Amino acid sequence: MTSNRVKERIGVNAVSRMVETSWESGWQEYSASNDDAIDGVILMRRGTTNPIDTGGVVFVQVKCGGNGYRQDQRQYPEHIGITLGAQYVEVHRPRWMRVPGPAVLVFVDDTVDRTNPPAWWVDLKDESSYSPTNRGMLLIPKAQRFAHHTKGDFHRLCGSGTQDRTLNVIELSRTETLIPRLGRTESLRNDAWEFYKAWRFDKAARINPTLGEVLVNRVGWKHITRRDRLPERIMQSWMLLGAAKQIIAQESRVLNFGRATVRDLEDGSKLVQDYLGLRSTITFPYRHHAVVQVVLKRSRILHPSPSWRGSDRQKVWFYSVYELRRGGLGI
């Protein structure tokens, strides 16, 4: 039977390996003598080549042992039940609540695989994480795996402020901004379309430092003006076209959105389509600054032969633009 000390080491090693290797973030373990319901902290970072500290810190309690802590309940089939004991929760919960940042518990199940055990996480500051029928039990959604994709969830736990501090700041002048003309015969739609057409034919302004040429054509215009989109969203995108133009020209950090779609072609190559993001803090000449996100659509052809030299192997289109803190619905 595995000792508690060995189990603790398996759990902490699983967490640190994920954080430091897959997430490329920092892990600071607390010594046992300083353990105050927290086993360590995650220092959140963004980027891969040169990761940047966001200032976000997540406090972590690690529990390992599928045959000791895990007791799934029939009344909660979509959750993993972690039994800590009513007294343990009563003593430790106030400590979790007062740490200056998110506090999570990561449960590592070593009964499945001791070398690479699966793990799940739960927000210790969320009331729904505690069983309403058992004061000593935590309920972890089975879908809430502690894995590579969890990094985005932890960024969100830290809040937008820590992320925003790492963004590039772009200052727009009046000449770089779409400012509508006023008058009975004037139309914001017409002004936006004229700005869009001028941008479309300005190739130098459509070269991104990382992705190269970005196409500005009817793909993006149709998307931001589609009929099922709210009118206020359309107007917001029009007013942000100047910001989108500068972000594409200046922002080198590229975000990946969602999962790519892959289609096999007759010549053995694959057509890969996905969506990318560029994000910057924009200071406007006429209003308060804002975090603005540009969405790009990308299409690539990948061939199994390294010597293959097909034409137009990658195309990237401007797809949408919106203020991030106003929400991304209807982008």
Side-chain angles (χ1 to χ4, degrees):
M1 183 176 182
T2 307
S3 68
N4 289 336
R5 183 183 60 81
V6 173
K7 283 181 176 292
E8 290 174 3
R9 197 69 255 160
I10 291 174
V12 170
N13 286 346
V15 173
S16 64
R17 182 169 59 249
M18 180 63 64
V19 170
E20 296 179 331
T21 304
S22 296
W23 294 13
E24 298 189 45
S25 293
W27 167 255
Q28 181 64 55
E29 184 178 346
Y30 285 2
S31 66
S33 60
N34 295 324
D35 183 3
D36 188 23
I38 298 296
D39 293 307
V41 295
I42 299 173
L43 309 175
M44 300 302 298
R45 295 172 183 153
R46 284 194 177 278
T48 54
T49 305
N50 295 300
I52 300 173
D53 286 305
T54 67
V57 176
V58 180
F59 294 81
V60 182
Q61 172 89 84
V62 181
K63 293 297 181 185
C64 178
N67 54 2
Y69 291 107
R70 182 167 182 173
Q71 294 185 19
D72 295 358
Q73 305 294 297
R74 287 185 178 180
Q75 63 266 45
Y76 307 113
E78 301 303 320
H79 292 76
I80 294 171
I82 304 299
T83 301
L84 301 177
Q87 185 178 1
Y88 185 95
V89 172
E90 182 180 354
V91 172
H92 289 75
R93 190 173 180 182
R95 299 172 180 172
W96 295 327
M97 296 301 294
R98 68 171 176 255
V99 296
V104 305
L105 181 138
V106 176
F107 169 67
V108 180
D109 193 342
D110 67 323
T111 63
V112 177
D113 184 346
R114 291 183 61 183
T115 303
N116 188 28
W120 294 260
W121 70 275
V122 69
D123 184 355
L124 290 169
K125 292 189 176 183
D126 186 346
E127 180 65 32
S128 66
S129 301
Y130 299 84
S131 171
T133 58
N134 185 334
R135 292 187 304 160
M137 176 174 284
L138 295 177
L139 297 175
I140 306 179
K142 291 181 178 179
Q144 213 155 270
R145 290 291 298 270
F146 183 75
H148 178 76
H149 67 272
T150 313
K151 184 179 181 181
D153 296 322
F154 278 37
H155 276 308
R156 285 185 284 275
L157 281 177
C158 293
S160 61
T162 56
Q163 301 172 34
D164 293 351
R165 287 198 291 270
T166 69
L167 297 178
N168 293 327
V169 178
I170 298 176
E171 184 175 352
L172 290 185
S173 66
R174 287 185 64 85
T175 58
E176 297 168 333
T177 306
L178 172 60
I179 299 179
R181 295 168 292 178
L182 301 179
R184 291 184 177 180
T185 61
E186 303 302 337
S187 164
L188 175 58
R189 183 186 184 91
N190 291 340
D191 291 342
W193 177 238
E194 291 301 320
F195 185 97
Y196 197 84
K197 285 195 300 182
W199 182 20
R200 176 180 184 176
F201 294 110
D202 186 359
K203 184 176 180 178
R206 296 188 286 100
I207 303 299
N208 178 262
T210 301
L211 299 170
E213 183 179 5
V214 175
L215 300 174
V216 176
N217 54 27
R218 289 190 176 272
V219 171
W221 183 262
K222 286 183 177 180
H223 181 76
I224 64 177
T225 61
R226 64 189 186 277
R227 289 187 176 183
D228 63 343
R229 198 170 187 232
L230 295 173
E232 57 269 31
R233 292 283 187 182
I234 296 175
M235 293 176 63
Q236 184 195 87
S237 291
W238 286 340
M239 296 298 295
L240 292 174
L241 287 176
K245 180 179 179 180
Q246 294 304 316
I247 290 173
I248 286 176
Q250 299 184 43
E251 182 55 63
S252 60
R253 287 184 290 178
V254 180
L255 307 173
N256 288 92
F257 292 156
R259 184 176 298 177
T261 60
V262 181
R263 182 162 60 90
D264 294 326
L265 302 180
E266 292 182 356
D267 64 351
S269 59
K270 296 181 181 296
L271 175 64
V272 182
Q273 294 182 314
D274 57 359
Y275 294 89
L276 308 172
L278 303 173
R279 186 181 302 169
S280 300
T281 298
I282 302 295
T283 60
F284 297 89
Y286 56 87
R287 49 162 291 192
H288 197 264
H289 70 272
V291 177
V292 176
Q293 182 151 280
V294 170
V295 181
L296 306 173
K297 182 177 181 180
R298 179 173 64 174
S299 177
R300 292 173 291 166
I301 296 179
L302 305 180
H303 197 277
S305 173
S307 62
W308 183 76
R309 290 292 182 269
S311 60
D312 298 326
R313 298 178 68 177
Q314 171 173 294
K315 288 186 178 180
V316 181
W317 293 266
F318 165 73
Y319 198 62
S320 190
V321 60
Y322 59 93
E323 282 186 40
L324 192 63
R325 300 302 169 233
R326 290 191 179 183
L329 296 176
I331 63 172

